[in-house]
Amino acid sequence: MANKNDTSVVIDGKVFTLSGYESEEYLQKVAAYINNKISEIKSEDGFRKQPLDVQAILIELNIADDYFKAKRQADMLQNEMAEKDKLIYDLKHDSVSAQIKIDSNLAEIKELKEEILKYQKNIVRLETELEDMKK
Amino acid sequence: MANKNDTSVVIDGKVFTLSGYESEEYLQKVAAYINNKISEIKSEDGFRKQPLDVQAILIELNIADDYFKAKRQADMLQNEMAEKDKLIYDLKHDSVSAQIKIDSNLAEIKELKEEILKYQKNIVRLETELEDMKK
């Protein structure tokens, strides 16, 4: 496992030192996202009139909404994926069936050509015999 | 568009009336999720020693982390999906090629069989001619 590391981020003007296994890049991204959310929501008139604890819950609701939307998208993709997997399975199955058909057709073509060669030889033989008799 | 509706949820012991287009079921699910997060994080010793504004940011970080993880999963699935779409495209293309091959083989088989029929008739004719000459 990677080493734990300390990363300082600034959120809502306050410095936080986060300790964990996540990369600094990731934690800065999360911090930037939260700062963005906070400044977005602070620009709404109604928000600034709320007490601080209510403000905090409203921000949490907002982030949780993003979470559920991302989760819903992931779930939808997962379902779509299952459908695509089923389609891929069917297509691969069809492809094997088609190849078997092609192989069997090619074998039949080979046999028919051999048969034709036999008939052609037979005809040459019969024609020669006829020629000889006509002499 | 659906009508806006008001839904009351309880978060961290406080009642919030949320107004929006989301269903009550969805908002209750989001509220339950946040309450769960809060009680989870409150059970950690270090958390309770923090001032309230820091506590709020820690909860926000926690929820944002869930959001980024769900988003990362959705992005990964999206990439996987693009690969599967490519595979499906290739398999469908192969299937069309295989069907063209099968059709062409079947046409060749039909022609060869007609050719054989012609040779067989020819042989019967030559054999009859020979029989007649031998009489």
Side-chain angles (χ1 to χ4, degrees), chain A residues 37-82:
Chain A
K37 275 280 148 194
I38 291 174
S39 78
E40 211 177 275
I41 206 168
K42 272 188 178 166
S43 71
E44 290 169 24
D45 276 343
F47 179 80
R48 283 187 301 252
K49 291 173 196 152
Q50 303 290 336
L52 283 179
D53 57 345
V54 172
Q55 287 190 2
I57 299 278
L58 288 171
I59 293 167
E60 286 158 24
L61 271 166
N62 213 293
I63 299 173
D65 186 43
D66 279 1
Y67 161 61
F68 276 96
K69 288 196 167 63
K71 196 170 170 292
R72 190 192 296 165
Q73 204 210 349
D75 291 345
M76 269 171 45
L77 287 167
Q78 199 92 57
N79 289 339
E80 235 181 279
M81 194 78 92

Side-chain angles (χ1 to χ4, degrees), chain B residues 12-40:
Chain B
D12 205 16
K14 286 177 274 287
V15 178
F16 289 84
T17 301
L18 306 172
S19 178
Y21 298 105
E22 304 285 3
S23 70
E24 158 141 28
E25 190 197 350
Y26 175 72
L27 295 172
Q28 295 296 356
K29 188 170 75 172
V30 178
Y33 159 81
I34 294 175
N35 283 324
N36 212 38
K37 275 282 149 195
I38 292 175
S39 78
E40 211 177 275

Side-chain angles (χ1 to χ4, degrees), chain A residues 9 11-12 14 16 18 22 26-27 29-31 33-34 38 53-78 80-81 84-85 87-88 91-92 94-95 97-99 101-102 104-106 108-110 112-113 115-116 118-120 122-127 129-130 133-134, chain B residues 9 11-12 14 16 18 22 26-27 29-31 33-34 38 53-78 80-81 84-85 87-88 91-92 94-95 97-99 101-102 104-106 108-110 112-113 115-116 118-120 122-127 129-130 133-134:
Chain A
V9 297
I11 297 175
D12 205 16
K14 284 177 277 287
F16 289 84
L18 305 173
E22 303 286 2
Y26 174 73
L27 293 171
K29 188 171 75 174
V30 177
Y33 159 81
I34 294 175
I38 291 174
D53 57 345
V54 172
Q55 287 190 2
I57 299 278
L58 288 171
I59 293 167
E60 286 158 24
L61 271 166
N62 213 293
I63 299 173
D65 186 43
D66 279 1
Y67 161 61
F68 276 96
K69 288 196 167 63
K71 196 170 170 292
R72 190 192 296 165
Q73 204 210 349
D75 291 345
M76 269 171 45
L77 287 167
Q78 199 92 57
E80 235 181 279
M81 194 78 92
K84 285 198 197 287
D85 282 338
L87 179 59
I88 288 169
L91 285 167
K92 282 186 174 169
D94 290 353
S95 158
S97 301
Q99 196 50 53
K101 212 166 188 168
I102 287 170
S104 132
N105 285 344
L106 289 178
E108 188 175 355
I109 287 170
K110 190 167 170 268
L112 290 171
K113 284 183 174 168
E115 216 176 313
I116 284 173
K118 250 172 39 201
Y119 285 127
Q120 285 172 333
N122 204 357
I123 286 169
V124 170
R125 189 183 51 75
L126 288 168
E127 279 174 342
E129 211 175 315
L130 260 174
M133 285 189 81
K134 280 179 188 163
Chain B
V9 297
I11 297 175
D12 205 16
K14 286 177 274 287
F16 289 84
L18 306 172
E22 304 285 3
Y26 175 72
L27 295 172
K29 188 170 75 172
V30 178
Y33 159 81
I34 294 175
I38 292 175
D53 57 343
V54 172
Q55 285 190 5
I57 300 277
L58 288 173
I59 294 167
E60 286 158 23
L61 271 166
N62 213 293
I63 299 173
D65 186 42
D66 278 1
Y67 161 61
F68 277 96
K69 289 197 164 63
K71 197 169 170 295
R72 189 192 296 165
Q73 204 210 348
D75 290 346
M76 268 171 45
L77 286 168
Q78 200 92 57
E80 237 181 277
M81 194 78 92
K84 286 198 198 285
D85 282 338
L87 179 59
I88 288 170
L91 284 168
K92 282 187 174 168
D94 289 353
S95 160
S97 303
Q99 197 49 55
K101 213 166 187 169
I102 287 170
S104 131
N105 286 343
L106 289 178
E108 188 175 357
I109 286 171
K110 190 167 171 266
L112 291 171
K113 282 182 175 170
E115 216 176 313
I116 284 173
K118 251 174 38 200
Y119 284 126
Q120 285 173 333
N122 205 358
I123 287 170
V124 169
R125 189 183 53 75
L126 288 168
E127 278 175 343
E129 209 174 318
L130 261 175
M133 284 189 81
K134 280 179 187 164

